[in-house]
Amino acid sequence: MNKIQMVDLKGQYTKIQDQIDEKILEVVKSTAYINGPEVHAFQKELEEYLDVKHVIPCANGTDALQIGMMGLGLKPGDEVITADFTFAATVEVIALLGLTPVLVDVEKDSFNIDIDAIKNAITPKTKAIVPVHLYGQCANMDAVLEIAKEHNLFVIEDTAQAIGADYTFKDGSKKKAGTIGEIGTTSFFPSKNLGCYGDGGAIFTNDDDLAHIIRGMVNHGMYKRYYHDVVGVNSRLDSIQAAILRIKLPLLDSYCKARKKAADTYSEAFVSNKNIVTPVISDFTSHVFHQYTLQILNGKRNELHQHLLDNNIPNAIYYPVPLHSQKAYVDERYNEADFKNTNELIDTVISLPMHTELDEEQLTFITKTINDFVN
Ligand SMILES: *Cc1c(COP(=O)(O)O)cnc(C)c1O
């Protein structure tokens, strides 16, 4: 059996190695390293794939969130509601901009932001909601948009884990994750579903004016060369990364399919195990399985984590500490009783190896090892 990896970047690269190597060399020889034609072409191709008017490439997914919030003109003191159970980047940029993060609980089954918790957190200072499409499936965007409309709030979708996922609205129409709110953001970090070979990110919007503002902001607030109209940042996707992403974008749907196939195999194997909850997919979204995350109900999650490591099965706890309990983000306004689901999930979740290269033999070994231990 091939060695099991949490994410198999090498295996994926090997299949497209000739194309990638040739293209990287081509960019090197072109010397158009920053904002070259590859970046522009990738932007256009991603706009087409997502069916969104504007893609603004930037340096990483964290910058994408920060610049998105700057573009919306959010000001110190504005409250921004986001999920308590996610990667820290989402709350980090809110705090960095001097905005007030308001963390709320998630749903226990989907792991995504809880709609009632959003409603309860709204104050006259609330200016935006940042739903995170966690692990690869969309949050309940019909409900988020409804709240946003009622209270006149911006919606920024953190799509770092869900690029390629489809959302189906109540009326049956569909949109790609990240193209639903005023702004969507994503990350091309190597292990993400559409990963480059370094750092990368992008901002999406259908709003022409907002796109214009943000395009200047990623480039030192310049709209005309050496004229700085607003305070910006330096956040660019480099040409080599864009060239790699142009090769991988046409493969994204097949990558998502391979992940889904592995996820289905996992879930079938655990279906009759009473102590394991397999991922629950909400009916309004597809799931692109950035992570495949179980809930272990017999109180032995930590033992399972170690047992799998002892059997050379990599696995991870995403996330071991709720954001509201992280030293950087503790706040006396928070009440533990309001974080019932997050507080439970941090003790029960475990993420299994998930990537495009998992084979039957590996999946069988992983599921058998888990079922033998958790019973
Ligand atoms: C990875 C990730 C980010 C940050 O992306 P970077 O490119 O690493 O800055 C933000 N939000 C979520 C949910 C992520 O998973």
Side-chain angles (χ1 to χ4, degrees), residues 60-62 65 86-87 89-90 132 158 160-161 187 189 192 199-200:
N60 57 68
T62 309
L65 284 162
T86 175
F87 181 56
T90 327
V132 181
D158 184 342
Q161 300 191 1
S187 164
F189 185 79
K192 300 283 155 98
D199 274 309

Side-chain angles (χ1 to χ4, degrees), residues 284-298:
F284 44 71
T285 176
S286 67
H287 200 317
V288 295
F289 287 99
H290 175 61
Q291 297 296 343
Y292 181 89
T293 303
L294 299 174
Q295 296 175 59
I296 305 299
L297 302 183
N298 66 353

Side-chain angles (χ1 to χ4, degrees), residues 92-342:
E92 179 178 57
V93 300
I94 300 172
L96 268 176
L97 290 173
L99 313 173
T100 306
V102 178
L103 296 165
V104 301
D105 208 4
V106 296
E107 298 173 344
K108 205 171 132 218
D109 49 357
S110 73
F111 310 117
N112 273 325
I113 196 161
D114 184 83
I115 299 305
D116 286 329
I118 298 176
K119 289 181 182 163
N120 291 335
I122 287 177
T123 76
K125 289 186 180 167
T126 309
K127 288 285 149 45
I129 308 171
V130 187
V132 181
H133 302 313
L134 201 72
Y135 299 155
Q137 70 170 322
C138 296
N140 183 346
M141 294 306 292
D142 280 285
V144 168
L145 290 184
E146 204 173 296
I147 300 171
K149 196 167 169 208
E150 187 184 335
H151 297 274
N152 203 16
L153 310 174
F154 296 121
V155 174
I156 303 158
E157 301 171 71
D158 184 342
T159 318
Q161 300 191 1
I163 193 154
D166 291 304
Y167 184 87
T168 307
F169 291 90
K170 278 190 206 146
D171 67 6
S173 63
K174 281 181 191 237
K175 278 189 185 173
K176 287 278 182 203
T179 68
I180 301 165
E182 273 73 27
I183 283 183
T185 64
T186 202
S187 164
F188 304 121
F189 185 79
S191 66
K192 300 283 155 98
N193 288 29
L194 179 60
C196 58
Y197 295 174
D199 274 309
I203 302 158
F204 320 137
T205 184
N206 281 305
D207 182 322
D208 297 340
D209 296 335
L210 194 52
H212 173 74
I213 292 169
I214 290 173
R215 268 187 220 294
M217 271 180 175
V218 299
N219 189 23
H220 303 289
M222 278 195 290
Y223 298 89
K224 189 172 146 195
R225 212 171 165 82
Y226 304 119
Y227 290 79
H228 304 270
D229 295 357
V230 295
V231 178
V233 294
N234 171 17
S235 185
R236 298 182 281 235
L237 179 70
D238 72 65
S239 302
I240 289 178
Q241 302 308 335
I244 291 163
L245 288 165
R246 287 190 70 201
I247 293 168
K248 291 185 74 177
L249 178 59
L251 301 171
L252 177 59
D253 286 345
S254 69
Y255 287 164
C256 291
K257 226 163 137 185
R259 289 172 177 271
K260 176 82 167 63
K261 186 158 176 264
D264 287 345
T265 305
Y266 276 142
S267 289
E268 264 166 50
F270 300 130
V271 76
S272 52
N273 192 320
K274 299 274 182 295
N275 285 314
I276 294 178
V277 181
T278 56
V280 179
I281 308 177
S282 307
D283 52 13
F284 44 71
T285 176
S286 67
H287 200 317
V288 295
F289 287 99
H290 175 61
Q291 297 296 343
Y292 181 89
T293 303
L294 299 174
Q295 296 175 59
I296 305 299
L297 302 183
N298 66 353
K300 300 222 168 100
R301 192 276 314 270
N302 290 346
E303 287 89 334
L304 175 64
H305 169 66
Q306 190 54 50
H307 180 70
L308 293 178
L309 292 182
D310 294 343
N311 283 277
N312 297 316
I313 299 173
N315 67 94
I317 313 298
Y318 301 123
Y319 297 88
V321 181
L323 289 176
H324 80 271
S325 306
Q326 295 280 3
K327 275 189 204 156
Y329 303 110
V330 287
D331 192 311
E332 59 196 15
R333 288 173 305 137
Y334 294 135
N335 183 348
E336 284 306 319
D338 292 333
F339 298 101
K340 192 171 155 285
N341 292 335
T342 313

Side-chain angles (χ1 to χ4, degrees), residues 22-50:
E22 191 185 313
K23 196 77 197 185
I24 291 177
L25 201 58
E26 191 185 306
V27 176
V28 171
K29 286 178 177 165
S30 81
T31 71
Y33 305 136
I34 300 286
N35 283 338
E38 293 293 335
V39 178
H40 191 68
F42 171 64
Q43 173 197 317
K44 291 288 164 211
E45 286 157 12
L46 188 56
E47 283 167 356
E48 198 167 309
Y49 173 83
L50 293 172

Side-chain angles (χ1 to χ4, degrees), residues 8-26:
D8 186 1
L9 296 178
K10 185 81 183 280
Q12 199 188 55
Y13 163 64
T14 306
K15 290 183 178 162
I16 49 174
Q17 182 169 3
D18 290 348
Q19 255 178 303
I20 294 271
D21 292 3
E22 191 185 313
K23 196 77 197 185
I24 291 177
L25 201 58
E26 191 185 306

